Structures are given as C-alpha cells and as structure tokens.
Amino acid sequence: MKRKKIKQLIDESGVLGFGYENGDYSVCWSVTPGEGMMLGKRTIEDGDGLVDEVLVAVPYAHVDLVDGLYADIVIDFVEFYYDDLCCNSATEWSLFDDIASPQDEGLLQMLSFFGKTYGEFLNDVFFWFGVANEVKEMIGEECELEYSALNEDERLTKKVLDHLGEHYLYVMYDVTGEGAYWNFAKANGEIWFSNSEIECYDFGYMIYEPAYGHVKISDVDGMAALRDAVLTDFMHESWEMEDSGEALALLGIDQGDL
C-alpha cells in the first residue's frame, strides 16, 4: 500500500492517537485497523514546527508483525522518556497522571486495537525500561571479563534472553553429552538467540562462550538461515534432543522432519 493511501486512511479514520511530549518534541502514534492490515503513523514535531512522519501497514495474517508494531510503540515511548524515568523527573510531563494515564483515551483506544489492557501496557513499559537500563549500565561500566568481548548488540541480546529466554534446545551428539545448546526468546517481532558448543574431554566438559544474535521474524532469508544453523546440529550420525517443548515450533521446524 502506498504511503499516500496509508496516510489518507488513517486521517479519515478519526482515531484519537496516542500522543506524548517533552520540552523539545511531541510524538503521536495513530493506529487504526484497516481492511486486511493494521495501519500506523508516527508523527514527531520539534519546537520549530518541523514534522517527520513514519507510515506502516502490517497484514493481520502476520501476527508477529502486528505484535512487533505494538512493541515498537512501547519501546519508542520508553526511549522518549528514558532520561526522565531515570532521573525521577517524569512527573514534570504528568507521565501516567495525564500522559499515558488510565484515562488517556487515545492510548486506551490504541491498546484496544491490539487487544491489550492498560495493565499489560504498563508491564511492557517496565520490561523494556529494565532492558534499556541494564544495557546502558553495562555499556557505561567496566564489564566483567566474561562480557568484555561482547559488543553493544550482543549485550542487548543477552539481556533480552536473560528476561525472556524460556525456549531452549539441547542437541546431544553422543552419550558423553557433547553437543550444542540453544536459547531463544521472541520479543519485538524478532527471534533472539544464543548458541553454545559443548565438548567433552577426559577432565570434563568445555562449554564455549555463546554466540548471540537476533533476526526479524519478517526477514524470510534471515529466519531460513537461523533454521539451517539449528538443523545442522541434527546432521550427526546419532543425536538426542532435550527442549522446552516449543523451541522448534518457534523457528517453524517440524520435529517430524528431523
């Protein structure tokens, strides 16, 4: 759908929009259910009246993308007020009393389109603020030796997995326990993952430092590459598997095809 058409449909829908501001900028997310897809517009305006717009159209058939749009809105809100939330100055903007309050009709209308409650919105705000805070603290401080080699993106991935990494997959190549261990999380329209190789020696196990990564669920080639990497662990002459019960399904792998 063309940008002009998306903008027209949103403007004609009459949605209230979820707006917030500080002394420098104002932001408004306008989201409306369209025919076959969710339409969204992010408008940001500075003190000089300069306006920038981002327009999106997400098909309902891709549920993960719709969830990703909602997560993007929450993350955008958290990043906008991050410094105020850290410095306890968010009350200057009436945050949660006026802006993003339980009476904020624009927010409540938008949440209803995503099937979310106000309580779920607050929980998501707290989660993403926690992730952002921990990552920024790690970047600003001297990391422990085991994290020293991780770049910023890998640290973010690790923190997401620490919070949400409930899907694991352990593929053993033989009875010694040698194999590969994967950890997965689904958040913000992406699959976040880590992969550790486990080798067995006479003196015990050697577990190598994990490799971290994440890929958008909408990235067909990226998801295919991740599936191929996981399937490589099943190409040994014999293998056994332990998993959380949903790890393979999360990647779109049918266990019957292994």
Side-chain angles (χ1 to χ4, degrees):
M1 184 179 293
K2 294 183 178 180
R3 289 174 50 87
K4 183 177 180 180
K5 184 62 174 178
I6 296 173
K7 179 176 171 56
Q8 177 188 348
L9 291 173
I10 293 174
D11 291 344
E12 293 176 352
S13 68
V15 293
L16 299 173
F18 171 41
Y20 44 92
E21 61 183 350
N22 58 24
D24 300 314
Y25 299 96
S26 63
V27 175
C28 183
W29 277 95
S30 300
V31 176
T32 185
E35 185 174 351
M37 59 184 62
M38 186 79 79
L39 307 177
K41 178 179 71 172
R42 179 186 186 270
T43 305
I44 183 168
E45 182 175 353
D46 66 13
D48 295 325
L50 296 177
V51 177
D52 184 43
E53 285 185 341
V54 176
L55 297 163
V56 294
V58 182
Y60 298 130
H62 298 279
V63 178
D64 292 328
L65 296 183
V66 176
D67 291 340
L69 174 58
Y70 165 73
D72 286 341
I73 295 171
V74 177
I75 293 170
D76 187 54
F77 176 80
V78 169
E79 290 180 342
F80 189 84
Y81 285 114
Y82 177 79
D83 290 339
D84 291 296
L85 290 169
C86 286
C87 300
N88 196 28
S89 59
T91 52
E92 294 181 14
W93 314 114
S94 298
L95 198 61
F96 304 123
D97 284 325
D98 182 12
I99 295 174
S101 74
Q103 291 77 42
D104 186 331
E105 295 182 358
L107 171 61
L108 296 178
Q109 182 186 57
M110 185 194 72
L111 292 176
S112 71
F113 296 151
F114 289 106
K116 300 288 185 178
T117 66
Y118 182 74
E120 289 172 324
F121 168 75
L122 281 184
N123 276 285
D124 292 331
V125 168
F126 295 152
F127 167 72
W128 285 111
F129 174 72
V131 171
N133 195 42
E134 291 177 13
V135 171
K136 290 179 186 293
E137 285 180 357
M138 289 184 66
I139 294 171
E141 299 174 356
E142 182 178 356
C143 298
E144 297 179 9
L145 179 61
E146 64 179 302
Y147 301 129
S148 61
L150 298 182
N151 61 35
E152 181 177 348
D153 188 66
E154 290 169 330
R155 291 169 187 162
L156 173 60
T157 302
K158 183 180 184 305
K159 284 302 174 183
V160 172
L161 290 170
D162 286 346
H163 284 281
L164 295 178
E166 59 183 357
H167 306 289
Y168 70 87
L169 175 66
Y170 177 25
V171 183
M172 294 166 283
Y173 306 152
D174 56 43
V175 294
T176 66
E178 185 167 310
Y181 184 86
W182 293 83
N183 193 19
F184 303 100
K186 177 182 173 184
N188 194 27
E190 298 190 54
I191 300 297
W192 308 72
F193 63 89
S194 66
N195 172 237
S196 303
E197 293 296 324
I198 303 173
E199 293 188 2
C200 184
Y201 299 92
D202 291 339
F203 57 81
Y205 295 101
M206 175 70 75
I207 303 177
Y208 291 92
E209 287 297 320
Y212 294 96
H214 55 102
V215 59
K216 286 188 175 295
I217 297 173
S218 60
D219 181 354
V220 176
D221 292 336
M223 287 296 298
L226 177 57
R227 282 191 291 269
D228 288 343
V230 172
L231 289 171
T232 300
D233 293 323
F234 293 92
M235 296 177 65
H236 291 75
E237 184 175 349
S238 63
W239 54 265
E240 293 186 18
M241 178 185 74
E242 294 180 5
D243 74 335
S244 59
E246 298 179 354
L248 294 178
L250 191 71
L251 302 177
I253 297 175
D254 188 340
Q255 185 171 344
D257 295 333
L258 299 176

